[in-house]
Amino acid sequence: MSATHRGCGVLLAVTVTAVAGCSTQQTAPAPQPQVTPMGRSFVSTQVKGTAIPGGGPLTLKFADGRVSAGAGCNTATGPVTLDGNTLEVGQMATTLMACPGDTAGADGWVDGLLRSAPSWKLAGPDLTITGNGITVTLQDRKVAQPGKPLTETTWIVTELLHTDAVVRSQTLDEVRPALTIAPDGTLTGSAGCNQMNGRAEIDGSDISFHVATTRMLCDPQVMDVERDVLAVLNGKATAAIDSDTLTLRNAGSGTGLTLHAE
């Protein structure tokens, strides 16, 4: 009898131990996706180390696996990876505008920073980029420069967008094509050479343009700019505002414009 009791006691002990062992198992938490700057734009608020030639600021826009960067002269665009808090860029395409004074050195400063495989750290609206002996603090443009309204803002064309290129030129900077849309949809402005007037019918992010111009002739380079501007403002375009930047894209012509608030 006593042997039987001892056997049951051993069986009971083993059973309790097995239950206790199971009770201590825990399911590992699912890994959380890393928060990245992708889909956001930033503007520099502080630079430690070599200053930006011409004063900057540095702007970075991350979208669709690509980064666009500029610091006062040309804009460079190319593929980017953000794995492991290291920013690595691929082959960058750049606009080809000659810039005056110290600003001419801004492109080399940006290139040196991005090609150094800098580290990045994102905390709320603040992005820190460190590389090439430089630490740049940037702030989300929606915080640093709240979005401008589409209407009652004078928008200056700064880039011409083509399917395979972003064009910025000295002629474009000199003639400063611009447009303003009144709350009632009335459109006024300059296409570069000629004055514009007409209407803009706004439906969410879609705008249907109906534009007429005066009939002056200007230098061929100016007329080339005007032709590109009017191609975007011919029919329906989609509009997107990021802080003080308006992007217009016309699917029909395959062209677009980047405009900045005056």
Side-chain angles (χ1 to χ4, degrees), residues 161-239:
L161 308 179
H162 297 277
T163 304
D164 56 355
V166 176
V167 179
R168 183 179 174 190
S169 66
Q170 184 173 348
T171 300
L172 179 62
D173 282 357
E174 288 175 351
V175 299
R176 289 168 58 86
L179 63 89
T180 304
I181 302 173
D184 66 356
T186 301
L187 182 148
T188 56
S190 166
C193 175
N194 287 281
Q195 296 299 305
M196 299 186 297
N197 61 79
R199 293 193 59 78
E201 299 172 1
I202 302 171
D203 182 11
S205 61
D206 293 331
I207 306 178
S208 295
F209 289 101
H210 308 276
V211 176
T213 69
T214 55
R215 298 296 182 181
M216 291 176 55
L217 288 177
C218 297
D219 291 340
Q221 298 93 330
V222 177
M223 298 308 296
D224 287 344
V225 167
E226 176 161 297
R227 186 162 42 251
D228 284 346
V229 170
L230 292 176
V232 181
L233 304 182
N234 180 22
K236 183 179 289 187
T238 58

Side-chain angles (χ1 to χ4, degrees), residues 63-168:
D64 302 323
R66 301 178 67 83
V67 62
S68 296
C73 188
N74 287 286
T75 300
T77 304
V80 63
T81 58
L82 299 161
D83 297 334
N85 292 100
T86 298
L87 188 154
E88 296 185 4
V89 298
Q91 184 66 37
M92 303 287 282
T94 183
T95 55
L96 298 173
M97 188 183 71
C99 300
D102 293 341
T103 306
D107 293 347
W109 184 94
V110 172
D111 187 70
L113 174 65
L114 295 184
R115 294 197 179 279
S116 69
S119 63
W120 64 271
K121 180 181 179 181
L122 184 62
D126 298 320
L127 174 66
T128 304
I129 304 288
T130 302
N132 202 31
I134 302 167
T135 296
V136 186
T137 302
L138 305 99
Q139 191 170 64
D140 191 305
R141 288 186 64 175
K142 292 181 180 179
V143 176
Q145 301 169 344
K148 297 288 187 177
L150 175 61
T151 60
E152 296 189 289
T153 297
T154 298
W155 297 101
I156 309 296
V157 178
T158 55
E159 293 174 338
L160 308 173
L161 308 179
H162 297 277
T163 304
D164 56 355
V166 176
V167 179
R168 183 179 174 190

